[in-house]
Amino acid sequence: MRNDVAVVGVGHTTYGKRGELAERGTFALATEAIAAACADAGIAPRDVDGYSGFADEAIQPAALATAFGAPRLRYAGMVWGGGGGGVVGALVNASMAIVTGHADYVVVHRALCMEGESGRFGQQMLHTAASGRLAPAAAFSASYGLFTPAQVFGLATRRHMHLYGTTIDHFAEVAINARLMAATNPHARFRDPITMRDHHDSRLIADPMRLLDCCMESDGAAAVVLTSAQRARDLRRPAVLLRAAVMGSPYRYGSLGAPESDYASSGQRQVGEDLFRQADVRPDEIDAAMIYDHFTPMVLMALEDYGFCAKGEAGPFVAEGNLRIGGSLPTNTHGGHLAESYIHGMTHIIEAVHQLRGTARNQVAQANLVAVCGAGGVSPTSGCILERAR
Amino acid sequence: MDRIPALAMPMLGRPAANALTDGYWAAARDRRLVVQECSDCGAHRHPPTAVCYRCGSRRWGWGEVSGGGSVFTYVWIDSPMHESLAAIVPYNVCVIELDGTQGDPVRLVSNVIGVDRDTLRIGLPVQVGFAAVDNGALMLPVFRLLDTV
C-alpha cells in the first residue's frame, strides 16, 4: 500500500464560532467543502464514488452522491468509534477501498454546526445524565460529576504531571505556538498572540486544564479527495502520497484498567509503533507534525507516543521550542484546533497537504514527510505519514 | 463501613436497571463494595462486563473488597457543566485504585469527600464510605482520606 494512494484535493468552508453557521446547515456546508476539494483536484463532485467517514458522521454518503448526481456510489465506510481519533482512520479505509478497486475517488469530510443539528460534540454524556436516567456503564462515572472530555483527559493529564514533572508551562507552550502559527492564517479564528501569563490567567475548566488548554468548538466543513497514485499523476495538483496510515490502540486503552504507562498517555503508542514500521522511516526523519490539539496536554502525550521524544520528556521537548518554525518538529503550522478551527482533525490533513505541496503559509523548507496524528485520549485513534511525490 | 449521611454531589440521573450492574448497587445499599470476580481465574474487573478479559470466561460473581485503596489520579472541576452543579464547584473527581484485587489493577471513578485542593494528592490512602441518595434508596460509594476516617 505504501505510496499507492494520494491526497489530490483539499477544500473547506469559512470557519465560525459555535452556532455561527447553523442557519446554513451541515449538509450545505459539507457539499461546499466537498465541491471545493474536488475543484482543487480537478474532478467533478459527481466523479466521487466513495465516501469514508468517522466520528459517527451523520451525513449519509447516499445523500451526497444523490445531491451531486453521481452516476454510481461504490464505497461507503465508517471508522467504528473513537470520535476524532478516527479522522486518519478514514484515510486508512479510503486507501483500502482504492487499492482494492472498490472506488476510484473517495472523499473524507466533516461538517459541523455545533449548536443544533450535530450538537455539542463533548456533551453527549451530560445531556444523557440530565435526562434523569444514567446508562448502566455511564452511572459509574456520571454519578460523580464526570461528564466531558476536558474532565476525563484531565485525569490522564494529572497522572502525567505526577509521573514526569510535566507543568502547566509546558501546556502553555502548545497554546502559544498555535497562536503564533495562526497569525499568518486568514481563515484562523484566533490570530492574536498569547503569553504564558495569559494562559495561566485563563479560567480553570477542569484543573489542571484551563480555558486556553481547550480548543474552541467551531462551525464549518472540510474535505479531502483521495485516489490512486497512478490517477493522481493526471490531476491538477502535485500528488501528496499516503506513505503509511494506521489505526488502533494499546491493550485496554480507554478503560480504567489500562496499564499504568498507557494510562498517562494519549493512547497512541500502538499507532505510533505500527505507523513508523509500516512507513519504514524514523520519527526524526519527519519534517513537520500536525497533531490533533483538542487539549494541549494531549499534544504533549502524542509527541511521546509517536516517539518524537522519549516517554515523559514532552514537557522539556516543547519548552526547547521544537514545535515552532525553525524547531526540530514544526507542529500545527496552520494554528491547529486551538487557534484556527476545530473541524475534528480534517484541517490537520489539509495543512499537511499544503506543506508537502509547498503552499503552506508557514512553510517548512523542503518538507518531504509530514505526520498527521488523529485525536488522542480515545480508542481507536489513527495516524499517517504523507510524502511529497518525487 | 462508614455511612455518609448527606451527599454534596447532586446526581443528575439514577443508574438504569441492568442485569450486569444491579448487584453492584444492591451491595452498596448494604454498605458493601463489590467488584466483578471471574469464577474461573479469579481476576477482578470494573465496570462490569460480560466476559473476563484474562481468561475469556463468562462465569462470574461479586467479590467483596475491603474498600481500601489509593488515589490514582484526580481532577478538580471548576467550571460546572450543569446548573445543578454550580453550588458545589470546585469538586473533585478521582480515580481510586483498590487494594487486594487479582489481575490488572481495579480502579473506580469516585469523589474523595472532605478534602481540599491543597490536600488531595496522588498516592494518598483512602477508604470507601457510602453516601445516601434519595433517602437511602441509592447508596453511592465515595471515599475519604484514610487519616480522616
Side-chain angles (χ1 to χ4, degrees):
Chain A
M1 295 250 299
R2 185 184 300 164
N3 291 354
D4 284 343
V5 169
V7 182
V8 293
V10 300
H12 63 88
T13 66
T14 56
Y15 303 129
K17 69 178 181 185
R18 170 168 59 84
E20 191 174 340
L21 306 181
E23 283 186 5
R24 295 174 60 189
T26 50
F27 193 81
L29 292 173
T31 55
E32 181 183 330
I34 292 166
C38 289
D40 185 52
I43 66 169
R46 64 167 50 86
D47 295 334
V48 174
D49 58 354
Y51 287 90
S52 179
F54 67 101
D56 303 325
E57 174 58 49
I59 297 176
Q60 301 253 336
L64 289 165
T66 298
F68 286 127
R72 58 183 187 172
L73 176 64
R74 300 168 68 210
Y75 177 76
M78 177 80 87
V79 178
W80 206 345
V87 61
V88 181
L91 303 189
V92 175
N93 289 345
S95 66
M96 289 195 288
I98 290 164
V99 298
T100 55
H102 285 273
D104 291 339
Y105 295 100
V106 179
V107 156
V108 177
H109 80 93
R110 191 73 170 149
L112 299 167
C113 294
M114 292 288 258
E115 194 83 84
E117 291 173 72
S118 53
R120 298 188 66 179
F121 196 52
Q123 299 197 2
Q124 291 95 331
M125 204 157 129
L126 177 69
H127 291 146
T128 306
S131 74
R133 181 181 178 279
L134 298 176
F140 294 106
S141 51
S143 297
Y144 300 99
L146 186 70
F147 301 112
T148 67
Q151 298 167 353
V152 173
F153 298 159
L155 292 168
T157 298
R158 174 79 67 190
R159 188 82 198 158
H160 196 274
M161 298 170 83
H162 171 77
L163 290 173
Y164 306 116
T166 312
T167 69
I168 62 170
D169 288 8
H170 300 141
F171 304 174
E173 167 58 18
V174 175
I176 291 166
N177 179 64
R179 292 293 188 99
L180 286 174
M181 296 292 188
T184 59
N185 179 354
H187 303 293
R189 292 183 55 204
F190 303 100
R191 282 174 246 167
D192 296 331
I194 55 170
T195 64
M196 187 79 78
R197 170 56 74 84
D198 292 333
H199 171 273
H200 294 358
D201 286 350
S202 69
R203 71 186 165 88
L204 282 165
I205 301 295
D207 183 5
M209 275 202 253
R210 290 169 167 73
L211 184 68
L212 289 177
D213 292 312
C214 307
C215 70
M216 301 296 167
E217 294 165 304
S218 303
D219 281 5
V224 301
V225 184
L226 296 95
T227 192
S228 68
Q230 193 171 7
R231 267 184 230 97
R233 291 191 201 108
D234 300 326
L235 295 177
R236 187 164 161 253
R237 298 285 191 191
V240 169
L241 301 172
L242 195 58
R243 185 174 176 96
V246 301
M247 61 175 133
S249 48
Y251 174 71
R252 299 192 79 186
Y253 182 77
S255 81
L256 289 165
E260 177 161 0
S261 58
D262 286 324
Y263 185 93
S265 86
S266 53
Q268 293 163 306
R269 180 175 56 80
Q270 184 68 49
V271 159
E273 290 169 5
D274 287 348
L275 179 63
F276 285 103
R277 187 184 309 114
Q278 193 185 105
D280 195 27
V281 296
R282 298 186 313 272
D284 65 9
E285 295 178 88
I286 299 298
D287 299 305
M290 306 304 149
I291 302 177
Y292 198 110
D293 49 337
H294 42 354
F295 301 99
T296 59
M298 284 289 139
V299 174
L300 301 178
M301 294 188 240
L303 290 165
E304 298 173 358
D305 277 4
Y306 277 90
F308 293 120
C309 63
K311 183 69 187 168
E313 293 181 8
F317 181 81
V318 303
E320 288 163 8
N322 285 307
L323 304 189
R324 308 239 182 145
I325 291 293
S328 69
L329 188 73
T331 295
N332 295 350
T333 49
H334 53 323
H337 290 332
L338 292 165
E340 189 204 45
S341 68
Y342 179 38
I343 313 294
H344 300 172
M346 291 300 302
T347 52
H348 293 60
I349 299 171
I350 290 173
E351 176 65 6
V353 168
H354 282 307
Q355 284 290 352
L356 293 166
R357 286 177 178 174
T359 56
R361 290 188 178 80
N362 296 310
Q363 182 64 46
V364 174
Q366 276 134 24
N368 285 312
L369 294 170
V370 176
V372 181
C373 310
V378 290
S379 176
T381 182
S382 57
C384 71
I385 294 170
L386 293 166
E387 180 168 12
R388 180 195 296 263
R390 291 169 202 275
Chain B
M1 284 184 191
D2 196 15
R3 175 170 173 153
I4 296 169
L7 174 66
M9 175 61 57
M11 289 180 64
L12 295 182
R14 301 293 179 268
N18 179 283
L20 267 180
T21 61
D22 283 353
Y24 177 92
W25 298 109
R29 274 194 296 278
D30 296 336
R31 295 193 286 283
R32 294 184 301 118
L33 184 64
V34 298
V35 293
Q36 258 187 318
E37 181 179 293
C38 176
S39 301
D40 285 302
C41 81
H44 292 105
R45 60 186 195 263
H46 179 86
T49 58
V51 61
C52 176
Y53 67 88
R54 188 162 77 174
C55 76
S57 172
R58 303 180 64 81
R59 301 196 311 123
W60 60 272
W62 294 108
E64 186 166 349
V65 293
S66 69
S70 59
V71 177
F72 183 72
T73 189
Y74 62 93
V75 62
W76 284 96
I77 293 170
D78 297 273
S79 295
M81 296 306 299
H82 189 268
E83 58 193 17
S84 68
L85 299 165
I88 66 156
V89 292
Y91 62 91
N92 68 69
V93 176
C94 294
V95 175
I96 305 299
E97 189 164 301
L98 295 179
D99 293 339
T101 62
Q102 299 292 314
D104 288 351
V106 175
R107 305 185 187 116
L108 281 72
V109 172
S110 191
N111 306 122
V112 171
I113 304 298
V115 65
D116 62 27
R117 213 184 293 239
D118 295 331
T119 311
L120 185 60
R121 290 291 177 266
I122 287 174
L124 289 177
V126 293
Q127 179 66 37
V128 76
F130 295 87
V133 180
D134 299 339
N135 297 315
L138 176 71
M139 297 294 281
L140 190 65
V142 295
F143 288 81
R144 291 207 282 209
L145 296 184
L146 199 56
D147 62 10
T148 64
V149 170

